[in-house]
Amino acid sequence: MVFQPSPVIPSSKVGRPVRIESLVLPGTRLEPRADAERTAPVSVRCVDVAPHGTLLRYTFEVTGWEPGDHDLRAYLVRADGSTTADLPPIPVSIQSVLGAGMPRVEAPPPEPPHHLGGYGQTLLIASIAWLVGLGLLLRVLRRGPVSSGPAVARASAQDQLARLLAKSQDGRLDAADAAAIERLVYDAWRRALHLEAAEPRALVAALRCDRRADAALDRLEAWLHAPGGLDMPAETATFVGTLLPPRSMETVP
Amino acid sequence: MSDSTAAAAAIDRSARFATAVRSRVAEVVVGQDEVVERLLVALFTGGHLLLEGVPGLAKTLLVSVLAKSIDLDSKRVQFTVDLLPSDITGSEILDPRSGEFHVVKGPAFTNLLLADEINRAAPKVQSALLEAMQERKVTIGSETLPLPAPFLVVATQNPIEQSGTFELPEAQLDRFMLCHRLTYPTRDEEREVLARNARLGVKRLAKGAVVRSEFDVLAHEPVGTIDDLVAAMETVQEVFVSEAFTDHCLELVTRTREHPALDLGASPRAGIALVKAARARALIQGRHYVTPEDLFALAGDVLLHRIRLSYEALADGVTKEQVLREVLRPPGATLPVASRQGRPHA
């Protein structure tokens, strides 16, 4: 029996399957060509195969994905791997479901690939920043109070005191200045007698136990706190010397 | 006699009066000279005193001997949870014979009132007493009666046993001019206490005898009178306060308001109390002017009960005493300063 192609070409719409039944084809058994990437414009499924004399009778189900005329020979292979050159044309017509002039759905434009490993990079940068910050903090904390030499401290206290006493001689000493003088003197003696850690009350008692500090504080109190004391201007140069600890007692602040 | 000579004489007289009172108290009470000084400060300035300390530190004896030394009337009230305001101030009582109400004055009508364990009474009783302290008068029924002059309240509270007590709020604590924390006597002082107690002996009565207590050895002759006290109160007003001292007080009070570990700093009343107390202390020491030494001595008693630590400072174990040490420290100090978190900064 010789294959006779059907005068009617099977047709369908895009995406809608169409059956081609009782198709007698020569040669060994045919099967659909593998299309792993799904790029073929038509998909072919072999629904039934039956002997037809010395030939085989096939029922195919064809689904078209691209509109146009297609030849199924391109999508069939022999199961035993032999050639399909002896096959007659097997035409299929697929029509588009879209009206004329309708835009086609296109795939989105390709995007640059996302950067992989962003979290790890961020973590690394944050860790480095944290370590640098910690190092700076430890450095600042270890630095401690800025210490100047004893001579500088003495000069500073003496300068401040002299400046304030000069204001007194000009009659410009106010309450805050007077209080500042007293704090300066207390602080200088506190350092000189190594009483930095003393409780405030114990500090006063300890200062009073030292003959020189006691005398200095007496002079200071008589000048700052006794009635009329501030009316007696002190000679700056000599008075500063009597209020502050002597140079032999200087210590690092 | 010139004004200055008269003032010096008045100060000398008041200082001698204070010394006599302290000596008389020391005859009975061992090692509480600082408390006696604070009591005199309160008496001379018309303030009130809160004593914090555990039981058995001779608080009642102290007040009794002080009252007897100056010939003052004194009463003691043990505050309990069921005490009523009328138990302090007095009440009106119906006389069934005349059918009229008569005012019966409460123990508040005295010169020296010892309010023992004030935090055990309900808040309304505390308020009644604190109002009387502030206004120095009491209203009973429709009658308003002035309290005797001088009027000094010495209240006590136990800082350890807090169960079943009503803590005095800051606003009421502020009414106490001073809050002094009593400490245990030193070993030598306590040895002297034991020795004196061992010598007390037994007091014979008409029918029987009782073991004598320290209250039995109080001398009945006062060393001063209310007139001496009034003179001392007047002389305190003559004690000179320099502008520098005022600045120190302002600085101190301001530092408490700015300290990061404190939620509540010292009130303006604290500054007033500081200056008043310093003047009285200067007088007791025989000085006619105040000095920073008075400030250092009194700052704790004036300020500590008026400041409140923040929650963070409490959680970090910072104490009010630490904060006070910092605010009293002269500028330029290099010791650690408690931060809000209570951790020391270099």
Side-chain angles (χ1 to χ4, degrees):
Chain A
M1 183 177 181
V2 181
F3 173 72
Q4 292 292 321
S6 171
V8 180
I9 297 173
S11 69
S12 181
K13 305 274 188 190
V14 170
R16 296 191 66 183
V18 58
R19 282 202 171 201
I20 304 171
E21 295 182 341
S22 301
L23 183 63
V24 179
L25 292 173
T28 56
R29 181 174 177 153
L30 291 165
E31 60 183 25
R33 184 188 293 276
D35 182 21
E37 295 187 358
R38 296 172 184 268
T39 52
V42 280
S43 301
V44 181
R45 189 162 73 88
C46 184
V47 179
D48 188 32
V49 185
H52 189 86
T54 57
L55 305 179
L56 292 171
R57 186 177 68 248
Y58 296 90
T59 299
F60 290 117
E61 186 181 89
V62 180
T63 307
W65 304 115
E66 296 285 342
D69 297 328
H70 304 283
D71 187 349
L72 289 193
R73 287 181 300 178
Y75 311 110
L76 294 172
V77 291
R78 300 279 181 199
D80 58 4
S82 58
T83 179
T84 56
D86 56 338
L87 285 178
I90 312 168
V92 176
S93 176
I94 302 296
Q95 282 88 44
S96 173
V97 293
L98 299 173
M102 289 292 284
R104 278 180 63 88
V105 178
E106 299 288 347
E111 288 182 358
H114 291 290
H115 180 70
L116 298 177
Y119 176 73
Q121 197 176 34
T122 308
L123 205 62
L124 184 68
I125 292 169
S127 303
I128 291 168
W130 185 82
L131 283 171
V132 170
L134 181 69
L136 289 173
L137 191 66
L138 287 174
R139 194 171 169 188
V140 169
L141 289 177
R142 279 184 184 178
R143 189 177 293 163
V146 179
S147 64
S148 50
V152 176
R154 161 96 189 183
S156 171
Q158 199 160 23
D159 288 350
Q160 288 183 59
L161 203 52
R163 186 172 48 77
L164 290 167
L165 293 176
K167 283 178 83 172
S168 161
Q169 287 186 327
D170 297 344
R172 294 183 292 115
L173 194 75
D174 59 18
D177 293 333
I181 289 174
E182 195 153 44
R183 288 180 201 129
L184 272 173
V185 173
Y186 265 84
D187 197 41
W189 280 103
R190 186 174 61 90
R191 290 172 196 274
L193 296 176
H194 306 285
L195 295 169
E196 285 92 341
E199 301 279 322
R201 290 180 67 178
L203 168 70
V204 176
L207 291 180
R208 287 296 181 184
C209 287
D210 184 89
R211 185 178 46 79
R212 289 165 296 186
D214 185 44
L217 294 183
D218 276 347
R219 275 191 293 277
L220 187 69
E221 284 176 2
W223 184 55
L224 287 182
H225 296 294
L230 281 173
D231 297 338
M232 301 179 291
E235 288 300 326
T236 307
T238 52
F239 201 54
V240 170
T242 63
L243 293 179
L244 290 176
R247 283 183 186 278
S248 57
M249 295 177 71
E250 286 167 355
T251 56
V252 178
Chain B
M1 195 189 297
S2 67
D3 286 350
S4 60
T5 314
I11 284 169
D12 186 49
R13 197 165 47 245
S14 295
R16 273 191 281 113
F17 166 61
T19 306
V21 172
R22 294 171 83 165
S23 303
R24 170 57 61 86
V25 175
E27 289 172 12
V28 183
V29 184
V30 181
Q32 297 287 13
D33 193 50
E34 197 172 84
V35 193
V36 181
E37 186 191 85
R38 300 299 187 269
L39 279 164
L40 288 173
V41 165
L43 264 177
F44 289 180
T45 54
H48 302 285
L49 179 65
L50 178 63
L51 294 177
E52 268 191 7
V54 293
L57 292 177
K59 297 187 283 283
T60 310
L61 181 65
L62 201 60
V63 173
S64 298
V65 70
L66 180 71
K68 282 198 173 179
S69 303
I70 316 177
D71 200 16
L72 295 174
D73 182 39
S74 74
K75 288 196 174 68
R76 173 180 179 273
V77 180
Q78 178 67 47
F79 277 51
T80 55
V81 73
D82 56 350
L83 204 71
L84 296 172
S86 58
D87 295 334
I88 306 292
T89 56
S91 56
E92 283 187 320
I93 291 180
L94 179 66
D95 184 351
R97 282 176 294 186
S98 64
E100 291 177 350
F101 281 96
H102 290 289
V103 170
V104 177
K105 293 178 179 176
F109 288 85
T110 186
N111 296 122
L112 204 52
L113 176 66
L114 176 64
D116 229 349
E117 297 200 86
I118 190 173
N119 55 339
R120 293 213 172 272
K124 64 180 178 182
V125 182
Q126 295 174 356
S127 295
L129 177 64
L130 294 166
E131 275 176 35
M133 287 160 55
Q134 184 76 11
E135 296 171 13
R136 295 182 191 280
K137 60 187 175 187
V138 164
T139 302
I140 303 171
S142 57
E143 205 172 341
T144 299
L145 303 167
L147 291 171
F151 174 64
L152 170 70
V153 173
V154 180
T156 71
Q157 61 178 10
N158 181 349
I160 307 297
E161 216 173 274
Q162 295 297 319
S163 171
T165 61
F166 300 90
E167 193 182 354
L168 289 170
E170 275 80 5
Q172 295 194 341
L173 281 174
D174 201 28
R175 309 249 176 112
F176 286 99
M177 183 186 185
L178 303 170
C179 175
H180 186 74
R181 284 137 193 92
L182 287 165
T183 52
Y184 287 114
T186 62
R187 196 177 177 85
D188 287 341
E189 288 168 351
E190 199 153 355
R191 191 188 304 279
E192 176 65 18
V193 170
L194 298 182
R196 285 191 191 186
N197 190 271
R199 290 196 297 266
L200 286 174
V202 174
K203 182 165 68 176
R204 280 189 172 277
L205 298 174
K207 291 180 180 177
V210 291
V211 176
R212 285 160 63 96
S213 72
E214 286 81 359
F215 287 89
D216 295 317
V217 299
L218 299 183
H220 290 283
E221 294 77 28
V223 293
T225 62
I226 289 189
D227 289 340
D228 292 324
L229 178 59
V230 171
M233 290 169 81
E234 286 172 344
T235 312
V236 165
Q237 304 302 316
E238 306 300 321
V239 173
F240 181 73
V241 180
S242 65
E243 288 189 6
F245 184 85
T246 308
D247 196 82
H248 287 319
C249 291
L250 289 173
E251 175 71 18
L252 188 59
V253 169
T254 308
R255 284 187 191 184
T256 64
R257 293 175 195 160
E258 293 169 353
H259 199 283
L262 294 180
D263 265 353
L264 181 72
S267 63
R269 197 183 280 168
I272 295 168
L274 209 47
V275 174
K276 283 167 80 174
R279 291 176 103 179
R281 186 177 183 274
L283 178 70
I284 292 167
Q285 303 280 333
R287 273 183 278 114
H288 61 292
Y289 56 89
V290 294
T291 68
E293 205 174 322
D294 301 317
L295 190 68
F296 284 123
L298 293 163
D301 288 356
V302 174
L303 295 177
L304 283 180
H305 65 293
R306 292 182 158 99
I307 59 178
R308 187 174 64 204
L309 289 167
S310 68
Y311 177 78
E312 292 86 353
L314 278 171
D316 284 334
V318 177
T319 62
K320 289 182 180 179
E321 286 77 8
Q322 282 177 309
V323 174
L324 184 69
R325 278 199 294 274
E326 287 171 15
V327 296
L328 278 174
R329 200 164 283 150
T334 54
L335 288 176
V337 176
S339 67
R340 178 170 279 279
Q341 287 74 35
R343 293 185 181 85
H345 294 305

